[in-house]
Amino acid sequence: MKLLDLFQREQRASAGEARERLKIILAHERSLRSQPEFLPRLQQDLLEVVKRYVSIQSDQVRVQLDRHDMMSVLEINVTFPNTALSGGVQGGGH
Amino acid sequence: MAKVIVVTSGKGGVGKTTSCASLGSGLALRGHRTVMIDFDVGLRNLDLILGCERRVVYDLVNVIQGEASLQQALIRDKRADELYMLPASQTRDKDALTLEGVQQVIAELSRDFDYILCDSPAGIERGAQLAMYFADEAVLVTNPEVSSVRDTDRIIGLLHAKTLAAKEGRKITEHLLITRYSPERVHQGEMLSLEDVQEILAVPLMGVIPESEAVLTASNKGIPVIHDETCDASQAYRDAVARLLGEERPLRFTEYRKQGLFSRVFKGGR
Ligand SMILES: Nc1ncnc2c1ncn2[C@@H]1O[C@H](COP(=O)(O)OP(=O)(O)OP(=O)(O)O)[C@@H](O)[C@H]1O
Ligand SMILES: [Mg+2]
């Protein structure tokens, strides 16, 4: 009886999990909120251009704007497996 | 010039209307001329919590559409002399509220009152955005629970982007009001602590209202819980009102103490 009690208490002690999950999701949602509205379109345009040369998926082009005091940095990351390179270059481009 | 304060949350059912009624009553009890506007068109409830539902004749939409004057629509509270309320319409659809109409009503009320409290509907859509649009301050009603905290964060985003203050480059003063707090469950590690919620949202704390049976009793009777001075929730709302007025008050009812059998039997957990 006592042991079961203890076990159930352990199961219910979930506040720490709630806190960590919230921190992660809110950091993500806040970064989306502060981005300019044109960013999704820029991401799409870039994706189309890169696709002509390398076969990639839409989530492999990541675009992010970091605002600093005096200037902003537009960071564009395109990542893909090496296999996409050989296939894509031979296949497309014209 | 009145101070316009929106009581908002994003998530539904977290205690906006309960809090609006008690904060408004508290401000009036402290001698400030206060009016509450129910923005929950279609689902009005503030009248019930205040116990004046049978005196509603005209509502916010009637005033906006010129079918009644403000004087005709305002209802005077039975308990607090300086307190009035403007009911929401129950029959009209939400589009009957216009930005210009709301602006006119608030401008007119602004001449006669010290505080205008806007009880926001749930959600982050048009109704909630109208309720916050003219705000100078915001009371962010939040339960210590993941979806409520997340929705409050989204509301903060809207306050920063979609309000008149934001468009004019002013900053809305934000107050975090944590409601339905259970020190015992926090102690057991089952509920987010007030420190957790405050750290995550990074908004100054205006008060912590404990989970309390007295709140249901109060709404059954149509008397805002702040009037039931014997209960913790009333004291906590009084403290919150004092902090809203710029006074310093230590937090109460936030620490868990194991109750003895005696107090459990005789106080019934209030
Ligand atoms: N401190 C509290 N302790 C116990 N119950 C509470 C407390 N605060 C609110 N409640 C209860 O929670 C329910 C919802 O409260 P309320 O109507 O004030 O929420 P709301 O945010 O205005 O809801 P809506 O989003 O539908 O407008 C009610 O049944 C109320 O009695
Ligand atoms: Mg409500």
Side-chain angles (χ1 to χ4, degrees), chain A residues 53-69:
Chain A
Y53 304 91
V54 188
S55 73
I56 53 167
Q57 307 292 313
S58 89
D59 61 350
Q60 289 171 313
V61 174
R62 273 191 301 268
V63 183
Q64 187 180 324
L65 190 78
D66 289 320
R67 288 177 215 253
H68 301 280
D69 285 345

Side-chain angles (χ1 to χ4, degrees), chain B residues 62 82 129 159 190 233 257:
Chain B
N62 292 136
E82 306 286 345
Q129 293 190 21
L159 288 170
E190 298 169 10
R257 353 172 213 91

Side-chain angles (χ1 to χ4, degrees), chain B residues 39 94 97-99 102 106 125-134:
Chain B
F39 273 85
K94 296 187 184 71
L97 282 190
T98 59
L99 195 62
V102 172
I106 287 184
E125 305 301 322
R126 185 163 179 274
Q129 293 190 21
L130 267 176
M132 71 169 63
Y133 193 82
F134 297 101

Side-chain angles (χ1 to χ4, degrees), chain B:
Chain B
M1 273 296 280
K3 239 184 206 149
V4 182
I5 305 179
V6 62
V7 181
T8 184
S9 69
K11 187 172 161 69
V14 296
K16 288 180 294 297
T17 301
T18 302
S19 297
C20 187
S22 276
L23 294 176
S25 300
L27 284 168
L29 290 175
R30 297 280 309 260
H32 300 282
R33 284 180 64 81
T34 303
V35 60
M36 301 178 286
I37 308 178
D38 189 347
F39 273 85
D40 209 346
V41 173
L43 289 172
R44 77 166 181 234
N45 273 324
L46 190 56
D47 54 339
L48 268 181
I49 300 300
L50 281 173
C52 64
E53 69 277 6
R54 291 174 58 194
R55 290 191 287 142
V56 173
V57 183
Y58 296 110
D59 57 54
L60 177 58
V61 172
N62 292 136
V63 175
I64 285 179
Q65 304 201 330
E67 297 155 355
S69 68
L70 258 180
Q71 284 67 33
Q72 286 175 303
L74 282 176
I75 299 174
R76 185 178 195 154
D77 187 60
K78 285 175 290 200
R79 290 174 197 87
D81 277 344
E82 306 286 345
L83 186 65
Y84 290 78
M85 95 106 163
L86 187 54
S89 166
Q90 218 168 12
T91 50
R92 310 294 260 279
D93 69 270
K94 296 187 184 71
D95 297 330
L97 282 190
T98 59
L99 195 62
E100 299 70 38
V102 172
Q103 178 172 31
Q104 248 172 33
V105 167
I106 287 184
E108 203 171 322
L109 290 172
S110 219
R111 278 182 240 127
D112 293 331
F113 288 93
D114 304 321
Y115 288 94
I116 301 174
L117 263 54
C118 305
D119 183 17
S120 175
I124 55 172
E125 305 301 322
R126 185 163 179 274
Q129 293 190 21
L130 267 176
M132 71 169 63
Y133 193 82
F134 297 101
D136 304 303
E137 304 193 13
V139 172
L140 298 158
V141 183
T142 308
N143 291 166
E145 175 268 326
V146 283
S147 56
S148 175
V149 174
R150 180 200 212 171
D151 288 358
T152 295
D153 197 67
R154 298 171 80 178
I155 285 287
I156 294 171
L158 291 179
L159 288 170
H160 293 174
K162 305 270 182 175
T163 53
L164 182 63
K167 281 166 194 170
E168 291 179 348
R170 286 180 289 128
K171 194 157 171 13
I172 291 179
T173 308
E174 295 159 358
H175 310 275
L176 178 61
L177 183 65
I178 300 178
T179 57
R180 311 201 66 161
Y181 194 71
S182 165
E184 178 171 3
R185 303 198 69 192
V186 171
H187 178 79
Q188 313 282 16
E190 298 169 10
M191 182 182 267
L192 287 166
S193 69
L194 65 98
E195 291 83 7
D196 288 341
V197 179
Q198 208 197 344
E199 186 204 329
I200 292 168
L201 292 174
V203 172
L205 190 63
M206 167 208 189
V208 179
I209 313 299
E211 173 78 21
S212 161
E213 288 168 23
V215 171
L216 180 61
T217 313
S219 65
N220 284 343
K221 293 183 181 165
I223 306 173
V225 71
I226 196 168
H227 291 290
D228 179 3
E229 283 174 69
T230 59
C231 76
D232 293 353
S234 165
Q235 298 299 324
Y237 274 120
R238 280 164 201 262
D239 288 349
V241 169
R243 292 189 197 103
L244 193 63
L245 294 170
E247 296 164 22
E248 295 213 5
R249 290 284 162 98
L251 284 176
R252 294 191 279 172
F253 322 114
T254 55
E255 296 295 328
Y256 173 61
R257 353 172 213 91
K258 209 169 166 118
Q259 285 190 339
L261 182 66
F262 182 83
S263 62
R264 243 186 294 168
V265 170
F266 290 95
K267 281 179 71 189
R270 268 166 69 113

Side-chain angles (χ1 to χ4, degrees), chain A residues 35-36 38-43 46 61-68 71-77:
Chain A
Q35 298 289 302
F38 66 75
L39 227 58
R41 278 179 286 128
L42 176 62
Q43 197 262 356
L46 287 168
V61 174
R62 273 191 301 268
V63 183
Q64 187 180 324
L65 190 78
D66 289 320
R67 288 177 215 253
H68 301 280
M71 55 166 199
S72 296
V73 176
L74 182 64
E75 196 182 314
I76 300 172
N77 281 295

